[in-house]
Amino acid sequence: MTFASDITDRTAVLAAVVGADVEPHDLAARLSQLGDDEAVAVAEASAALIRSAELAQVAAVGVIAARSTRDAGQSGLAQARGHRTAIALVQDLTGTTKADAARKVRVGESLLGGSLPGGRAGTAVADAAPTDADDAPPSADPPSSWDAPLSAALLAQTITTAQHDAIRQGLGEPPGADVSSDDGAGSEAWSAAAEQLATEAGTLSLEELRHTARAIRDRLDPDGAHRRYLERFERRSFRLWTDADGNRRGSFLFDDEGGVLAQTVLDSALHPRRGGPRFVDSAERERAAELSADTRTNDQLAYDLFVDVLRSGALADAETVFGTRQAGVRLVQVVDHAGARSPIAHTEDGLHSIPRESADQHICDSGHITVTVDGCGSPLDVGREHRLFTPRQRVALAVRDGGCRWPGCDRPASYCEAHHADHWAEHEGRTDIDRGILLCRFHHMNLHHHGWRLTRSGKDDFVLHPPGDRSGAAPIPLRPRLTLTYAWAGDVRASDVQTGVARAGMDRASTDPPRHRLLPRGAARAAHLSRRHADALCGARDRHGAG
C-alpha cells in the first residue's frame, strides 16, 4: 500500500461513519448523534489520519531544517522567507508553539538525517531553547545508526512523532558517540533500548515513556547518570519574593532526592483525595473521610502541610502531621548473588534513578531490608498466612511491580492495592507473592466490577482478559516495567552488550537470584533511624487489602 492510498483509505473510513455530505459547521451535531462504538471509530480513524499527515509534515520539516543551516547563510530556505531559523519558519507554517516546532524539527532531522545530502542539519534545533536541562542539543555530525528503530517505527506508524521525540530525547546520545569514534557497543545498547521502547510505547503514557527512557539511559550509562545527578544537585534553589500585589511567593528547584521526598510527603498526606488505597484501619479511614470533606483545595492543603512541616521541624509528631502513615522514601538497589551492587538504585515510587553513592548514604542513615527475588524480579513465595497480604509481602510486590500494572497506568506503588489473581473465597485464592499483583484503586475497582480477569501461569507474565462482551479482544500480557527489566539485569553498561549481558537481562534469562535492598528514609525526623524503626517505616504504608 502506498502512502497516498493509505491516506485515501483512512479518509474513506472516516467519511463512511461521519457521512460524506456533512458540512464543517454541522460536524459536532452529527457526531453527537453517533453511538458509542461509532464515536470511538471516528476518534480512531481521525488519529490514524493525523499520524499519516504528521509523518509527511515532519519529513518535510526535516528537509526544511537541512536547507536552513547557519552555513547556508541568507540563502537558506528559512532565511530566504524572512525567518532566522527553521524552527521559526515551522512555527509560522503550523501555528504551533516554539517548543512544538522544535520537536517537529528534531524528529524530521532524525527521520531524514541518514539520507539527506550533507547529513543532519543539527543547527536548527541548537538555536531553540532546550526543552530539558539534561538533554544536549542535537549534534551537527552525521547521525549514528542507533536510532534507526525509532525511524522504522515512525515510518510504520506504530509510534507517533511525540513518542519518537520522547524516546530519543530521553535516551540522549550514547556516551562518547561522535563522527571520529566507532562506539559499537554503546550504539548497539542504545539501539536495543530504542527498539524496546518503541514496542512498549503503545502501553505507556508520554510522560511515563520519557521517564522510562531516561531511567534506561541511567542504567546503560551509570557514570553519566552520576554526573547528571550532581549537576541537578548543583542547580537546586529556593527563593522568596514579593509580587506587585504584596503576595509573598516562593519557587523551588529540587534536586532528585529533595523532589522525591517532597512528593512523598504530599502523597502521604493527600492520598485519600488522590485515589489512595481503601483498605486501612478505622482511625485512618476516619481521617480520610475528614480530609475528603475538607473545603480546602488540594493546593491549599499542600500549602498548609508545607507550613506545618516547617513549623514542626525536626521535633514534629509524625502522627499529628501525617496521620498513621509517616512519609518516607524507599530506595531499591539490586545486589547480585556475589554481593556486587548495581551502580544505580531507584525509588520504589516513581522508579527515579539514584546513584549508588546516595544509596550508601541512606544505608548509613536508615539501614536496609533484604528481599530475595529471581532473575525476573519475582520475590520468593512467603505462603498463605492471611486473607490480606502482609506488610512484608506488600513490600515485595512493590519491588516487583513498581506501581499499578494496568496497561498505561502510572500510579506509584504507594497508591496501589494488592489483588489476588485467584479470588480468596471463590477459588481458594492463595495470598502468595506469585499470585498477587498491584493495581491502583480505580483499576482494581474496574477489574472487579466490569468483567475483567487476571490470570497467571507459573512464573509467566500476568495476563489481563477483557470482559466477555468485547468479542474478539485479545488478552493483554502485563509485562514488567521496562525500567525494572533493566534493573533486574544488574550492572548493564553499554560496554556489556557485546558479551550479551544487556540482551540476556532484557530476555529475563538469569540463573542466580539477585537481592534488593530497600532503603527507607524518614521525612520528619532528624535523628538517625534504628533498624527496627526502619522496618516499621517500610510497613507503615502497607496496610492494604486483597482483591
Side-chain angles (χ1 to χ4, degrees), residues 288-535:
E290 293 175 355
L291 184 60
S292 298
D294 198 305
T295 59
R296 290 173 291 178
T297 66
N298 282 351
D299 287 344
Q300 289 171 332
L301 286 167
Y303 170 83
D304 291 344
L305 173 65
F306 173 72
V307 173
D308 284 343
V309 171
L310 286 181
R311 185 179 293 115
S312 301
L315 300 179
D317 179 356
E319 185 168 346
T320 299
V321 179
F322 301 110
T324 56
R325 295 173 181 269
Q326 182 181 356
V329 177
R330 270 204 297 265
L331 303 182
V332 180
Q333 184 177 40
V334 179
V335 183
D336 67 18
H337 66 286
R341 295 177 293 116
S342 170
I344 299 294
H346 61 266
T347 61
E348 178 191 281
D349 275 6
L351 306 181
H352 302 286
S353 299
I354 299 292
R356 177 172 57 196
E357 291 79 5
S358 181
D360 292 341
Q361 175 186 344
H362 289 296
I363 291 175
C364 293
D365 181 44
S366 305
H368 70 274
I369 299 173
T370 298
V371 177
T372 304
V373 303
D374 63 18
C376 304
S378 298
L380 297 180
D381 188 348
V382 292
R384 181 182 189 259
E385 298 178 357
H386 307 278
R387 178 184 179 275
L388 305 182
F389 284 94
T390 66
R392 292 261 177 175
Q393 289 175 313
R394 180 59 173 67
V395 168
L397 287 175
V399 169
R400 186 197 68 194
D401 292 346
C404 179
R405 292 287 296 275
W406 197 278
C409 185
D410 59 358
R411 284 293 193 182
S414 61
Y415 273 58
C416 292
E417 299 168 355
H419 169 76
H420 288 285
D422 308 308
H423 195 278
W424 177 280
E426 296 178 8
H427 308 294
E428 298 185 354
R430 298 175 301 156
T431 310
D432 295 340
I433 297 299
D434 288 346
R435 311 305 299 168
I437 187 171
L438 292 187
L439 296 174
C440 69
R441 177 181 179 181
F442 172 79
H443 286 123
H444 199 185
M445 296 278 288
N446 203 28
L447 179 83
H448 280 280
H449 292 274
H450 294 285
W452 294 83
R453 291 186 305 110
L454 267 171
T455 61
R456 189 185 197 190
S457 176
K459 297 280 189 178
D460 293 343
D461 292 331
F462 284 92
V463 177
L464 182 63
H465 301 268
D469 59 356
R470 300 190 184 185
S471 58
I476 306 169
L478 302 185
R479 296 185 175 85
R481 279 173 160 78
L482 203 53
T483 302
L484 294 177
T485 302
Y486 274 75
W488 309 146
D491 186 1
V492 184
R493 301 170 188 257
S495 58
D496 294 328
V497 173
Q498 290 179 330
T499 64
V501 173
R503 291 193 181 277
M506 297 170 197
D507 294 336
R508 303 186 299 172
S510 178
T511 55
D512 297 298
R515 291 171 292 149
H516 301 80
R517 286 177 172 169
L518 301 180
L519 315 176
R521 182 184 182 185
R525 298 187 185 276
H528 287 213
L529 299 178
S530 68
R531 172 63 182 272
R532 184 174 65 177
H533 184 84
D535 288 359

Side-chain angles (χ1 to χ4, degrees), residues 6 30 176 179:
D6 184 41
R30 177 69 63 87
V179 70

Side-chain angles (χ1 to χ4, degrees), residues 267-277 284 287-289 291-292 415 441:
D267 288 347
S268 180
L270 302 181
H271 73 86
R273 284 210 177 177
R274 296 180 173 179
E284 190 168 2
R287 178 178 175 274
L291 184 60
S292 298
Y415 273 58
R441 177 181 179 181

Side-chain angles (χ1 to χ4, degrees), residues 101-121:
R103 176 181 63 80
K104 293 179 186 296
V105 169
R106 287 194 300 269
V107 176
E109 289 178 332
S110 176
L111 184 63
L112 299 184
S115 58
L116 286 175
R120 179 175 302 169

